[in-house]
């Protein structure tokens, strides 16, 4: 099984104690008793995120439809929904590219 | 409102856009009724003014209420008018067009400022996402 749990922040921990895997706000990684997450789990999490991004896309789509059909005359709510959907989709594409890149690099590793 | 929300600034800027849109509605009503001698209440049209308030802590802006300007009506000498009093004066609305133009300019600039904040924030988020590449 491929493991993407590379603890790159390890050597940097002594440099800045405030930022590290154990600081608040960061997901806890690398502790001995915890089950290590596999690449497949990461893909599943990304799948959950895709459905959330899809919800935002759907709501922006609905607001555009409502505006064009005359049901809703507030153009600012359309702008807000589209801006949110745009930002979260860009983040999703960035994460997806990173995941694919990691998978390719792992698969091209000479064994 | 949650502070650690990356959509927070978008919502706040949108609330500014909405508030200035309502402000434009009030201004257009004032300008359209600048010469309305009969508002249907037995007196000339009274000028309206919008007031704003903050929407919670670190939140956006929203329209608080629309208050009527209780200053005196303008007296215009027009003896031939059927609504004129014994001295020949007609009461006209207390709307001053130059003042409305100034308020409209302010509202337009505020709207543009909110759009500028929205655009700049989107650019900032995109800069952050470039780190993923």
């Amino acid at each position: 099984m491929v493991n993407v749990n590379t603890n790159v922040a390890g050597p940097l921990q002594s440099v800045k104690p405030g930022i590290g895997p154990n600081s608040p706000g960061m997901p806890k990684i690398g502790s001995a008793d915890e089950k290590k997450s596999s690449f497949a789990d990461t893909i599943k999490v990304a799948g959950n995120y895709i459905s959330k991004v899809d919800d935002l896309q759907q709501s922006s789509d609905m607001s555009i439809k409502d505006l064009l059909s005359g049901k809703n005359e507030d153009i600012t709510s359309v702008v807000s929904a589209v801006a949110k959907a745009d930002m979260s989709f860009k983040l999703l594409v960035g994460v997806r590219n990173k995941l694919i890149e990691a998978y390719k690099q792992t698969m091209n590793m000479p064994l | 409102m949650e502070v650690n929300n990356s959509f927070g600034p978008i919502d706040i800027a949108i609330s500014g856009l909405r508030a200035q849109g309502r402000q434009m509605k009030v201004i257009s009503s004032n300008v359209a009724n600048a010469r309305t001698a009969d508002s249907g209440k037995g007196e000339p049209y009274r000028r309206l003014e919008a007031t704003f308030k903050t929407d919670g802590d670190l939140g956006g802006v929203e329209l608080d209420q629309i208050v009527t300007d209780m200053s005196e009506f303008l007296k215009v000498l027009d003896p031939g008018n059927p609504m004129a009093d014994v001295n020949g004066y007609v009461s006209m609305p207390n709307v001053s067009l130059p003042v409305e133009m100034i308020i409209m300019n302010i509202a337009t600039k505020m709207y543009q400022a909110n759009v500028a904040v929205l655009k700049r924030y989107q650019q900032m988020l995109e800069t952050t996402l470039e780190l993923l590449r």
Side-chain angles (χ1 to χ4, degrees), chain A residues 17-87:
Chain A
I19 298 165
N22 296 326
S23 64
M26 297 282 273
K28 272 194 178 166
I29 48 169
S31 57
D33 53 334
E34 232 174 283
K35 196 180 155 239
K36 292 212 169 189
S37 68
S38 63
F39 189 73
D41 290 341
T42 315
I43 297 291
K44 265 177 206 156
V45 171
N48 291 340
Y49 190 70
I50 286 173
S51 68
K52 277 180 191 165
V53 172
D54 188 51
D55 285 349
L56 282 168
Q57 295 275 355
Q58 297 276 351
S59 77
S60 87
D61 210 36
M62 278 305 290
S63 66
I64 291 172
K65 258 183 206 158
D66 284 356
L67 183 79
L68 292 180
S69 64
K71 214 183 282 173
N72 172 27
E73 285 170 6
D74 186 16
I75 199 162
T76 49
S77 62
V78 177
V79 173
S80 146
V82 171
K84 285 176 185 174
D86 182 47
M87 280 335 293

Side-chain angles (χ1 to χ4, degrees), chain A residues 56 74-77 79-80 83-84 86-88 90-91 94-95 98, chain B residues 7 10-11 14 17-18 22 111 118 121-122 125-126 129 131-133:
Chain A
L56 282 168
D74 186 16
I75 199 162
T76 49
S77 62
V79 173
S80 146
K84 285 176 185 174
D86 182 47
M87 280 335 293
S88 46
K90 274 179 183 158
L91 175 63
V95 171
K98 259 307 194 230
Chain B
F7 287 151
I10 293 180
D11 285 331
I14 292 290
L17 294 187
R18 245 181 225 139
R22 303 258 161 80
Y111 197 94
L118 186 60
Y121 183 66
Q122 278 182 309
L125 284 184
E126 274 174 37
L129 291 183
L131 291 174
L132 279 175
R133 280 176 207 153

Side-chain angles (χ1 to χ4, degrees), chain B residues 26-37:
Chain B
V26 172
I27 295 168
S28 60
S29 170
N30 284 341
V31 171
N33 287 297
R35 306 301 286 171
T36 309

Side-chain angles (χ1 to χ4, degrees), chain B residues 51-111:
Chain B
T51 59
F52 300 110
K53 70 167 191 215
T54 316
D55 178 21
D57 200 24
L58 200 62
V61 64
E62 66 179 354
L63 199 74
D64 187 17
Q65 51 187 344
I66 296 172
V67 290
T68 45
D69 187 344
M70 297 309 279
S71 61
E72 274 188 40
F73 290 121
L74 192 72
K75 296 275 184 199
V76 178
L77 185 62
D78 186 5
N81 197 308
M83 291 169 84
D85 60 4
V86 285
N87 297 319
Y89 283 96
V90 181
S91 286
M92 278 297 172
N94 52 354
V95 177
S96 159
L97 279 181
V99 170
E100 298 304 319
M101 288 302 127
I102 292 167
I103 296 175
M104 187 167 72
N105 272 344
I106 295 172
T108 312
K109 293 291 173 197
M110 289 282 289
Y111 197 94

